[in-house]
Amino acid sequence: MQLTPGRWGDPAHPVDLPTAAVDALKHLGVRRTDAEPVEPVDRPGLTADQLSFLSQVVGNDHVASDLESRWAHTRGYSTTDLLRDRAGDTSDMPDAVVYPASHDEVQDLLAGCAEQDLAVVPYSGGTSVVGGLAPSRRFVTVDLRRLDQLVELDEVSRTATLQAGVRGPAAEALLAERGYTLGHFPQSYEGASIGGYAAARSSGQSSAGYGRFDQMVVGVTLATPRGTIELGRAPMSAAGPDLRQLVLGSEGAFGIITSVVVRIRPRPTERHFEGWRFESFDTGLAAVRRLAQDGPLPTVLRLSDEVETAVNLADPDVLGGGSGGVLAIIGFDGPYNQATADVLAAAGGTNLGVEPGELWRVGRYRAPYLRDPLLDEGALVETLETAAFWSRIPALKAAVTEALVGALGATPPLVLCHISHVYETGASLYFTVICAQSDDPIEQWRTAKRAANQAIADAGGTISHHHGVGTDHRDAYATEIGPLAVETLRAVKQTLDPDNVLNPGILIPED
Amino acid sequence: MQLTPGRWGDPAHPVDLPTAAVDALKHLGVRRTDAEPVEPVDRPGLTADQLSFLSQVVGNDHVASDLESRWAHTRGYSTTDLLRDRAGDTSDMPDAVVYPASHDEVQDLLAGCAEQDLAVVPYSGGTSVVGGLAPSRRFVTVDLRRLDQLVELDEVSRTATLQAGVRGPAAEALLAERGYTLGHFPQSYEGASIGGYAAARSSGQSSAGYGRFDQMVVGVTLATPRGTIELGRAPMSAAGPDLRQLVLGSEGAFGIITSVVVRIRPRPTERHFEGWRFESFDTGLAAVRRLAQDGPLPTVLRLSDEVETAVNLADPDVLGGGSGGVLAIIGFDGPYNQATADVLAAAGGTNLGVEPGELWRVGRYRAPYLRDPLLDEGALVETLETAAFWSRIPALKAAVTEALVGALGATPPLVLCHISHVYETGASLYFTVICAQSDDPIEQWRTAKRAANQAIADAGGTISHHHGVGTDHRDAYATEIGPLAVETLRAVKQTLDPDNVLNPGILIPED
């Protein structure tokens, strides 16, 4: 799938809002504005020398400086990104897009960009929702889509070497030919690619079974302006710090990941999804914690809170003709595991059968599509997420909700929440916020987000469980790890990227 | 257990070699030398100003500059360390030992040591076998034994905050009072402590069930000369690189770990150990790989090769009256899992019952004790280990064995090998080497070790799966990660320890 600016998903398959949803928005005070998108206006690009350098490295046919190509690579897919797209805001637009075909071409680009006074933004799927593609100075986008090969599949070790530009579905297709799966299905799956998963520490909807992407990576190759780093001679090692984990999450600030070696698994021959009802989020929380700590974990494990359950279920009868309660979804890659169901039942859950599970499965990538028509209708809709240790989860959830409601008081919001990633010691919390747009929806959201960030910090959560840092979370991230850790990151960057060519202003606050 | 210089283990409980073993050594050409250990001779210590600074920080009673204390903190427990201990070699002896009682005291020591021109070696259990306590200049040892508290136990999150100086058995005792276990049982268990486990990426004998120590750590506090870093607000995060994994394995070169937050589990109420026989190491390898990749994994999973099986089993009847074959040990914390046994049986294994399992359990910390009487008898005995992806394991094992046999040709060695840590994508290999000592056993071993290191590098293994880098592996480590990664580590060290106070010469080659 090739994403288009300003709208998520395949333009050939737009998603319409149900009439009931449009009606429901009216209760939030949402009013359609019918503003037409503003067309972007071009601005000066690169010098002839700069274009010549880029062409020398990747070939004439693989440098694009036309408006359409550049606009298509402008920023990511946060709601403020979409609003700025609609406003024709070109301030984050790259000056050119280059399409290298190999690690060596990436390496040559990085080695030469400083001399050409070019900053570089690595571009994998372009699906950042945290300002990860918006550097602090003019730049060339390095689109990695031509690095699209399955380089090696080691069936004995169950590892695959995948180039950074392989999109999620392409990776699955390449592995499926050999009977394997990666098992990484983030909501950005259709658009994002391997390099981005690695650079941003992605986590997918099957994380309970397959783990996070950073747990799948056993090897990584990084091109930097100073040369190449190759890491990973064994699954685990006591040979010093795990430098793979310094590259994972570096968001293009230390180098461009050109390939990774990932753990793969046999492709399951059956899958099962089903819904469970709990009386309240608290009882559901106790149940999913029990599974996370004592098992057996399913492959997919999700728990919506009361508000999300009510909003998402068009048909409340799914909850067993019930009044209230919350919905959990479990999924198995492979045989159904009765022991998992027994734990949920013992914790007070009611099995709702396959229907809600299948509903979730079919719509699992659909949420971001819905945002576009919601914005069209005049709603402000955005998501944010965090993670913490189990004992902090209830207070963290309450604090973030309260902060959002407080900050958006003039346009009372719906705040939906779910848990979708669990660990023995903690879990993620994922929030969706819907309210009426104010006159300045970008500033409206930024204010709300600042309040949420502060609430996360105060309640002991991390600023991101799987969206990453980008520019949106940069300051909160610096506060989270502290000034000495920030200095450490700067020292790493200074070593690998002494001219600040790579993603300037992303991840690490500039001096 | 307090270790003593020159001999492993509790001096009140020495281990004698079986007579049969002494006889067997003769076949290797081993001859007892009856050389008496040389007493260490004192050398000048610190200036009055330096001692005064140390006393100011930790109090007079917690600074030791007497010979006995210093000698007791001299180097670790590699065979070359033991041989140098026996030779009375004081070249690695600290100039003083200090015993801080808190994070703040550690922090104050580090902040002041540069001005006092003192290097610092953090000392946890002192069980390094890779030269991890032997810096390149004169130094003060910071013994962390007074940081011995269980600071917090969060039963909801199943995490425990443990100070760095808590020894393995003490940690288990503290957790057992509350019904929990850490599940970390390395061979150094009786002597090593929490801070060392973290700093050196330890892995224990129950790693198949509990994971490595670096997988247990969810939070870490690091004192550095520049200040304190605290990491870990959630089990996992997408907020930048995982800096915990930069601290874990830093071996005291970046700072002193003063406490960690670790994942804990309910203490099992039953345990089961049993032995299995396979026709050959290759068939056993296929079986343990099957368990590692498709499960269900036991808590303990070990596979000895033919030589190790023959040497370790005093009674070959344990193998079912068999001729040849190899021994595997499996163990369960909790109920016996028949499904695990079924996988082993399907892979050609024969269940030998509980006797060999119990023999292993009872003797599980005994191997290092045996080294002392072996050295007394004139044998050279040492271990080394590596890890790699599964597809490389057979060639890696053959290459290391061949390198050791080749390098020790004048004193033909026995080379024993086992697998004791498995992952979906690979495993560790642990070698034990026994031969007659030459006239210069230290140089004899160093030559053999260089050959083994080269073989590991050539065959695609990592230089250490769980022993660490120290000084012994420093150059091999630098080659493994490459010059740019070494520069990156240096930049991190320069940021946190600009005066090179911490463990100079350990982990990272000095400029």
Side-chain angles (χ1 to χ4, degrees):
Chain A
M1 181 181 79
Q2 181 55 45
L3 297 172
T4 50
R7 300 189 85 83
W8 179 262
D10 188 340
H13 299 96
V15 173
D16 290 328
L17 283 185
T19 313
V22 177
D23 291 343
L25 291 178
K26 299 209 173 97
H27 293 290
L28 291 173
V30 174
R31 295 288 172 272
R32 196 177 170 93
T33 60
D34 291 316
E36 283 297 312
V38 178
E39 286 300 314
V41 176
D42 206 2
R43 57 174 191 147
L46 302 182
T47 66
D49 274 3
Q50 289 171 325
L51 285 169
S52 161
F53 159 72
L54 297 174
S55 294
Q56 274 165 32
V57 176
V58 298
N60 239 337
D61 294 347
H62 305 296
V63 179
S65 56
D66 62 291
L67 176 63
E68 191 182 350
S69 299
R70 290 158 54 210
W71 182 240
H73 287 81
T74 300
R75 63 184 74 93
Y77 284 84
S78 70
T79 294
T80 51
D81 285 344
L82 297 183
L83 292 167
R84 290 164 71 211
D85 287 345
R86 290 172 179 221
D89 176 350
T90 59
S91 58
D92 296 338
M93 187 163 68
D95 295 299
V97 182
V98 296
Y99 302 88
S102 68
H103 171 85
D104 289 349
E105 286 188 6
V106 173
Q107 186 61 69
D108 290 347
L109 280 170
L110 293 182
C113 273
E115 197 183 331
Q116 296 291 334
D117 194 26
L118 290 173
V120 159
V121 170
Y123 191 98
S124 156
T127 59
S128 172
V129 292
V130 291
L133 302 164
S136 58
R137 58 190 180 95
R138 300 188 62 175
F139 65 103
V140 171
T141 290
V142 178
D143 187 318
L144 298 163
R145 70 182 61 185
R146 292 172 70 210
L147 278 80
D148 61 357
Q149 301 295 305
L150 169 60
V151 178
E152 193 190 343
L153 195 154
D154 177 344
E155 298 200 64
V156 174
S157 307
R158 289 205 185 152
T159 59
T161 307
L162 285 161
Q163 287 188 308
V166 183
R167 297 260 163 107
E172 286 298 333
L174 287 164
L175 295 172
E177 283 177 28
R178 306 280 294 272
Y180 291 93
T181 181
L182 180 55
H184 188 65
F185 306 107
Q187 205 160 48
S188 61
Y189 173 68
E190 296 161 289
S193 73
I194 295 294
Y197 295 158
R201 291 188 168 268
S202 176
S203 191
Q205 294 168 345
S206 299
S207 63
Y210 291 97
R212 304 161 56 86
F213 197 74
D214 47 31
Q215 294 172 320
M216 300 176 187
V217 173
V218 293
V220 61
T221 301
L222 184 75
T224 84
R226 300 276 321 285
T228 296
I229 294 179
E230 286 196 73
L231 300 167
R233 291 182 143 239
M236 295 295 273
S237 168
D242 192 344
L243 295 176
R244 297 174 298 199
Q245 299 295 334
L246 187 64
V247 171
L248 298 170
S250 62
E251 300 190 5
F254 296 162
I256 296 184
I257 294 167
T258 56
S259 68
V260 295
V261 185
V262 285
R263 174 248 290 159
I264 55 173
R265 290 186 180 162
R267 197 170 169 76
T269 52
E270 51 181 317
R271 288 197 166 96
H272 304 269
F273 296 91
E274 69 185 17
W276 284 72
R277 178 185 181 279
F278 289 90
E279 273 303 308
S280 67
F281 184 74
D282 287 346
T283 56
L285 181 68
V288 298
R289 178 162 72 86
R290 189 84 293 122
L291 282 179
Q293 295 185 329
D294 297 324
L297 272 175
T299 311
V300 172
L301 180 59
R302 307 171 66 86
L303 175 72
S304 293
D305 73 354
E306 287 82 354
V307 182
E308 184 170 291
T309 299
V311 169
N312 279 0
L313 286 181
D315 178 5
D317 284 346
V318 168
L319 284 185
S323 44
V326 301
L327 179 67
I329 300 289
I330 63 172
F332 299 97
D333 271 18
Y336 186 85
N337 191 343
Q338 185 57 43
T340 301
D342 291 345
V343 172
L344 294 179
T350 306
N351 191 333
L352 304 175
V354 298
E355 190 191 337
E358 282 301 306
L359 274 175
W360 175 80
R361 186 186 63 77
V362 170
R364 64 195 290 185
Y365 305 120
R366 194 161 161 268
Y369 287 80
L370 283 169
R371 187 171 48 168
D372 295 317
L374 282 166
L375 291 174
D376 294 342
E377 291 296 328
L380 180 72
V381 55
E382 183 55 302
T383 63
L384 61 88
E385 40 85 59
T386 178
F389 298 109
W390 287 113
S391 59
R392 295 180 187 162
I393 289 288
L396 175 60
K397 179 173 184 289
V400 172
T401 304
E402 188 180 344
L404 289 166
V405 169
L408 293 165
T411 52
L414 279 176
V415 180
L416 292 54
C417 183
H418 67 248
I419 284 179
S420 48
H421 306 270
V422 298
Y423 307 88
E424 283 183 68
T425 57
S428 71
L429 286 173
Y430 193 95
F431 297 89
T432 303
V433 187
I434 309 170
C435 66
Q437 285 182 27
S438 73
D439 292 343
D440 184 352
I442 291 177
E443 191 48 39
Q444 181 191 16
W445 177 249
R446 286 183 176 156
T447 302
K449 179 77 163 137
R450 271 194 300 273
N453 288 357
Q454 189 62 50
I456 288 170
D458 293 345
T462 177
I463 195 60
S464 174
H465 171 266
H466 59 271
H467 282 174
V469 176
T471 48
D472 294 358
H473 291 152
R474 191 181 52 203
D475 294 342
Y477 173 53
T479 304
E480 181 171 326
I481 63 173
L484 194 51
V486 171
E487 259 195 76
T488 304
L489 292 176
R490 275 208 196 103
V492 173
K493 182 165 174 71
Q494 174 67 25
T495 302
L496 301 176
D497 179 26
D499 299 302
N500 196 19
V501 162
L502 281 156
N503 258 359
I506 286 163
L507 185 67
I508 310 165
E510 294 181 289
D511 276 322
Chain B
M1 181 181 79
Q2 180 56 45
L3 297 172
T4 50
R7 299 190 85 84
W8 180 262
D10 188 339
H13 299 95
V15 173
D16 290 327
L17 283 184
T19 314
V22 177
D23 291 343
L25 291 177
K26 300 208 173 96
H27 293 287
L28 292 173
V30 174
R31 295 290 172 268
R32 195 177 171 93
T33 60
D34 292 318
E36 284 295 312
V38 179
E39 287 300 313
V41 177
D42 207 2
R43 56 172 194 151
L46 302 181
T47 65
D49 274 2
Q50 289 170 326
L51 285 170
S52 160
F53 159 72
L54 297 174
S55 293
Q56 275 165 32
V57 175
V58 298
N60 240 335
D61 294 347
H62 305 296
V63 179
S65 56
D66 62 292
L67 175 62
E68 189 182 349
S69 299
R70 290 158 55 210
W71 182 240
H73 286 82
T74 300
R75 63 184 73 93
Y77 284 85
S78 70
T79 294
T80 50
D81 285 345
L82 297 184
L83 292 168
R84 292 164 71 209
D85 287 345
R86 289 171 179 223
D89 176 351
T90 59
S91 59
D92 296 339
M93 187 164 68
D95 294 298
V97 183
V98 296
Y99 302 87
S102 67
H103 172 86
D104 288 348
E105 286 188 6
V106 174
Q107 185 62 67
D108 290 347
L109 281 170
L110 293 182
C113 273
E115 197 183 332
Q116 297 292 333
D117 193 26
L118 290 172
V120 160
V121 170
Y123 190 97
S124 156
T127 60
S128 173
V129 292
V130 291
L133 302 163
S136 58
R137 58 191 180 96
R138 300 188 62 176
F139 66 103
V140 171
T141 290
V142 178
D143 186 318
L144 298 164
R145 71 182 59 185
R146 291 172 70 211
L147 278 79
D148 61 357
Q149 300 297 305
L150 168 61
V151 179
E152 193 191 344
L153 194 153
D154 176 346
E155 298 200 64
V156 173
S157 307
R158 287 205 186 151
T159 59
T161 305
L162 285 162
Q163 288 188 308
V166 183
R167 299 260 162 106
E172 286 298 334
L174 287 164
L175 294 173
E177 282 176 28
R178 306 280 293 273
Y180 291 92
T181 181
L182 180 56
H184 188 65
F185 306 107
Q187 205 160 47
S188 61
Y189 173 68
E190 296 161 287
S193 72
I194 295 294
Y197 294 158
R201 291 188 168 271
S202 174
S203 191
Q205 294 168 346
S206 298
S207 62
Y210 291 97
R212 305 160 56 84
F213 197 73
D214 48 30
Q215 294 171 320
M216 299 176 188
V217 173
V218 293
V220 61
T221 301
L222 184 76
T224 84
R226 299 275 323 285
T228 295
I229 294 180
E230 286 197 72
L231 300 167
R233 291 183 143 240
M236 294 295 273
S237 167
D242 192 343
L243 295 176
R244 297 174 298 198
Q245 299 294 333
L246 186 65
V247 171
L248 299 169
S250 62
E251 300 190 7
F254 296 162
I256 296 184
I257 294 167
T258 56
S259 69
V260 295
V261 185
V262 285
R263 174 248 288 158
I264 55 174
R265 290 186 181 163
R267 197 171 170 75
T269 52
E270 51 182 317
R271 288 197 167 95
H272 304 269
F273 296 91
E274 69 184 15
W276 284 71
R277 179 187 182 277
F278 289 90
E279 275 301 309
S280 67
F281 183 74
D282 288 346
T283 56
L285 181 68
V288 298
R289 178 162 72 85
R290 187 87 292 122
L291 281 179
Q293 295 185 329
D294 297 325
L297 272 174
T299 311
V300 171
L301 180 58
R302 306 171 66 85
L303 175 72
S304 293
D305 73 355
E306 288 82 354
V307 182
E308 184 168 292
T309 299
V311 170
N312 279 0
L313 286 181
D315 177 5
D317 283 346
V318 168
L319 285 184
S323 46
V326 301
L327 180 66
I329 301 290
I330 63 172
F332 299 97
D333 271 18
Y336 186 84
N337 191 343
Q338 186 56 43
T340 301
D342 291 345
V343 172
L344 294 179
T350 306
N351 191 335
L352 304 175
V354 299
E355 190 192 337
E358 282 300 306
L359 274 175
W360 175 79
R361 184 186 66 76
V362 169
R364 63 194 291 186
Y365 306 120
R366 194 161 161 266
Y369 287 81
L370 284 169
R371 187 172 46 169
D372 295 316
L374 283 166
L375 290 174
D376 294 342
E377 292 296 330
L380 180 73
V381 53
E382 181 56 304
T383 63
L384 60 89
E385 39 85 59
T386 177
F389 298 110
W390 287 113
S391 59
R392 296 179 186 163
I393 289 289
L396 175 61
K397 178 172 185 289
V400 173
T401 304
E402 188 181 343
L404 290 165
V405 170
L408 294 165
T411 51
L414 279 175
V415 180
L416 292 54
C417 184
H418 66 249
I419 284 179
S420 48
H421 305 271
V422 299
Y423 306 90
E424 282 184 69
T425 58
S428 71
L429 285 174
Y430 193 95
F431 297 88
T432 303
V433 187
I434 309 170
C435 65
Q437 286 182 25
S438 73
D439 292 343
D440 184 353
I442 291 177
E443 191 50 39
Q444 181 190 17
W445 177 247
R446 285 185 178 156
T447 302
K449 179 76 164 139
R450 272 194 300 273
N453 288 356
Q454 189 61 51
I456 287 170
D458 293 346
T462 178
I463 195 60
S464 174
H465 172 267
H466 59 272
H467 281 172
V469 175
T471 49
D472 293 359
H473 292 152
R474 191 181 52 202
D475 295 342
Y477 173 52
T479 304
E480 180 171 325
I481 63 172
L484 194 51
V486 172
E487 259 194 76
T488 304
L489 292 176
R490 275 209 196 101
V492 172
K493 182 166 174 70
Q494 174 67 24
T495 302
L496 301 177
D497 179 26
D499 298 301
N500 196 21
V501 162
L502 281 155
N503 259 359
I506 285 164
L507 186 68
I508 309 165
E510 295 181 287
D511 277 323

